[in-house]
Amino acid sequence: MISVTMDMVQYDCPYIDVTDVADVSFHTMHWDFNTAQQELETRILVTGDDHGALTNGLNELQDHERMLGFELLSRRGDTAVIKSFIGQTNAMQTIRDHDGYITGPFQIQDGSELWNVGFDTGDDADDALADLEVENDFRVEARNATSFEDYLDVIQHLDAAKGLLDGCRELSETERLTLQKAVDGGYFRTPRDATLETLADAFDVSKTGASKNLRRAEQKVLRRIVAAFPALVEEDRPNRDEGNSVLER
């Protein structure tokens, strides 16, 4: 499989249009394309810079001429979840015409959209990218060839991957920034390039405060990593216990 990540600007996408006029961003949670009606049904998390920005963005989207359906499912503060329907865009049709498929969520903000798409062959990917240039502006951020074994490995460990993501999301902003500063600054190197005093100075806190923030961050992330161990151990155990792989028999 060829995985392609693109920063895409579509000129016929209502979500992109709205992010040009309102301080909101969109993150798709679920999508389903109806081939008979040529409609994309999408459930989207909408985030506004503040309460007013979210209201403005939702109103702009609901009134957009290319919106075929809109339903507000929930709202809290500056975030909301919506269900919406739009027609097939040029880029969507181009990807489908070349047997492409979506491999990750859409992320839309500041007038552009991050796409994660896959193709079965390199030729399919090349042809799709060439055709996309006709009516869309985009930049390829990453392109990788993924083997069947690698793809299967990801699918089999989705729960573990989600656990790691959840662990990262549990971090407070202070914990996240402290851990990132510690890693980037060389706190975990031997010998250390950064110390607790370095971290304390960076965030204008005491060394005790920096230590507590770092330990809390480590605990949340490491707890999720250790929780993923059993799945990996179970996968490797037959080879270790029996001494021979299935192929060797």
Side-chain angles (χ1 to χ4, degrees), residues 107-172:
Q107 301 173 51
I108 311 165
Q109 61 184 2
D110 299 329
S112 68
E113 183 174 16
L114 194 65
W115 277 38
N116 295 284
V117 296
F119 301 90
D120 291 332
T121 70
D123 287 342
D124 287 339
D126 291 339
D127 291 343
L129 294 176
D131 286 351
L132 280 172
E133 291 180 342
V134 177
E135 296 189 31
N136 305 274
D137 289 331
F138 67 93
R139 180 177 66 252
V140 174
E141 300 286 349
R143 174 171 173 157
N144 300 291
T146 305
S147 68
F148 175 77
E149 290 76 13
D150 289 340
Y151 184 73
L152 183 62
D153 189 39
V154 171
I155 296 300
Q156 288 177 331
H157 297 97
L158 283 179
D159 288 342
K162 182 179 183 303
L164 293 178
L165 288 175
D166 289 342
C168 293
R169 293 184 179 119
E170 286 179 356
L171 297 175
S172 68

Side-chain angles (χ1 to χ4, degrees), residues 26-98:
F26 300 97
H27 188 98
T28 58
M29 303 168 61
H30 168 269
W31 59 88
D32 181 42
F33 187 75
N34 187 315
T35 55
Q37 299 182 14
Q38 297 291 290
E39 288 183 4
L40 181 71
E41 174 186 341
T42 315
R43 285 167 177 76
I44 302 180
L45 174 68
V46 189
T47 303
D49 283 0
D50 52 42
H51 186 276
L54 177 61
T55 298
N56 185 34
L58 294 177
N59 290 337
E60 289 283 347
L61 187 64
Q62 189 170 11
D63 295 339
H64 196 283
E65 62 181 2
R66 290 188 58 84
M67 289 300 298
L68 303 178
F70 177 96
E71 181 181 349
L72 178 63
L73 299 179
S74 64
R75 174 171 179 165
R76 178 179 298 176
D78 58 3
T79 62
V81 177
I82 64 171
K83 179 170 69 173
S84 60
F85 297 83
I86 66 171
Q88 181 170 228
T89 65
N90 172 268
M92 291 165 55
Q93 181 175 349
T94 300
I95 295 296
R96 295 181 65 248
D97 285 347
H98 292 282

